[in-house]
Amino acid sequence: MNNKRLLVVGELNVDLILNDIRGFPKIGNETLAGEMEFTLGSSAAIMASNISAMGTDTTFCGKIGHDKFGEFLKQELQKRKVSTRYISTSDTLKTGITVVMNYEQDCANLTFCGAMEALNIKDIPWEDLKEYDHFHFSNYFLQKGIQKDITEIFKRMKEAGLTTSLDLQVDPDDKWEFDYKNTLPFVDIFLPNYSELLSLCKKNDLTAAIAHIRDYANVLVIKMGEQGARLITGEQEYRQGALLNKDFKDAVGAGDSFNAGFIHKYLNAASWENCLKYANLMGSLNTTRAGGTAAFTSAEEIRKKADEIKKRVL
Ligand SMILES: Nc1ncnc2c1ncn2[C@@H]1O[C@H](COP(=O)(O)OP(=O)(O)O)[C@@H](O)[C@H]1O
Ligand SMILES: [Mg+2]
């Protein structure tokens, strides 16, 4: 438990997760899935829900529609004690949804963005920033209303004295137009996964991508799926393997749970090594249940399940 207060700004959508799918859907055919889950989705909201369950005081700022999905998302966040006071409702747009088709370690996602695209710089509670110590933002490419102001947003957060983190996530259009040269200097912790970093830097190998981005990134944390993660800051570098476990279900939200674990420890002033270790553990815990949040109920449960994972690493 720490007494730092976190503001998460980002997208909100429900996830309809289909597991155990027999083949890939084809037009004109019917494809069956063996299992289905309907859960809180979206990178930013999964991160917020899980870090709150770990014990960090968390507030979410995002946009939903006037509909049942929007209500469901608010309730799910509230169940994990996330404050929803800065979640606004669009009168014209519907709440977003992602249909996740899961195939072992990877998945094919189909997303309707809806209200999340309308969230913009004016929705951020600038007047109340003194209530917060850290700002986390996720899923840049899906939030059209935020894009042109991203540098300004991070700059103002730093000016207000907050520490900051960013998970860019994937660009569905594969253009990767994100002004990292001007934005990353205001981001304390940058949390891409391996393939996102290569795409952003337009490089084919990780060494070249790291060499390119390190001039702009303060602390670079690279998520590498079953290979674990790396952290690079200045001349320091750490690597940690993933904690592969017997109870693997799916990797939906693993990166967001990793982010939650990392930032939770960071706000507790842990060493980089311990931040990375705990992030890997939380990523691994995420994979034991379908979707991004089911494995993260309360701090006590998380501790218990994390101990089991440590004992049963493959
Ligand atoms: N199969 C797995 N077993 C154990 N841990 C995993 C597994 N897949 C991912 N993780 C953990 O979750 C983290 C994030 O997963 P990754 O797939 O790299 O991110 P993203 O979801 O952003 O693509 C990894 O760095 C690792 O620590
Ligand atoms: Mg990710």
Side-chain angles (χ1 to χ4, degrees), residues 238-292:
Y238 304 93
R239 288 176 197 226
Q240 299 256 321
L243 296 151
L244 300 179
N245 67 78
K246 289 190 195 106
D247 305 318
F248 180 88
K249 184 93 181 181
D250 69 46
V252 176
D256 311 312
S257 298
F258 177 103
N259 296 345
F262 192 95
I263 301 301
H264 181 67
K265 283 287 165 186
Y266 174 70
L267 295 177
N268 274 298
S271 65
W272 293 132
E273 235 171 332
N274 283 340
C275 290
L276 205 56
K277 222 185 248 175
Y278 192 68
N280 265 333
L281 185 57
M282 294 300 109
S284 178
L285 175 57
N286 180 109
T287 67
T288 62
R289 298 286 300 274

Side-chain angles (χ1 to χ4, degrees), residues 64-185:
I64 51 175
H66 267 297
D67 47 38
K68 292 210 167 86
F69 286 174
E71 276 312 307
F72 170 79
L73 291 173
K74 263 180 144 171
Q75 281 165 12
E76 289 298 296
L77 287 168
Q78 284 162 2
K79 264 194 214 162
R80 298 288 179 261
K81 300 196 171 61
V82 176
S83 167
T84 56
R85 65 181 175 277
Y86 301 122
I87 294 181
S88 51
T89 309
S90 163
D91 288 329
T92 49
L93 299 168
K94 295 176 195 155
T95 302
I97 179 166
T98 295
V99 178
V100 181
M101 286 172 278
N102 233 319
Y103 297 90
E104 304 286 330
Q105 175 74 21
D106 243 317
C107 46
N109 291 355
L110 189 60
T111 294
F112 164 75
C113 291
M116 72 172 74
E117 288 188 325
L119 187 77
N120 64 68
I121 190 167
K122 293 193 207 110
D123 292 309
I124 295 174
W126 296 108
E127 303 303 311
D128 298 334
L129 281 193
K130 59 187 173 313
E131 308 272 324
Y132 300 100
D133 301 289
H134 187 88
F135 165 68
H136 178 78
F137 179 80
S138 188
N139 230 338
Y140 171 77
F141 298 104
L142 293 192
Q143 297 176 85
K144 305 253 179 286
I146 292 279
Q147 286 171 2
K148 71 173 179 11
D149 296 313
I150 193 73
T151 306
E152 169 81 10
I153 290 170
F154 272 97
K155 185 165 179 277
R156 282 174 68 180
M157 290 292 171
K158 288 303 295 174
E159 282 166 1
L162 283 78
T163 50
T164 61
S165 51
L166 167 69
D167 186 342
L168 210 55
Q169 295 284 12
V170 80
D171 179 6
D173 295 326
D174 208 19
K175 291 188 183 143
W176 299 89
E177 284 164 2
F178 165 66
D179 184 2
Y180 57 88
K181 294 185 178 170
N182 287 310
T183 308
L184 288 185

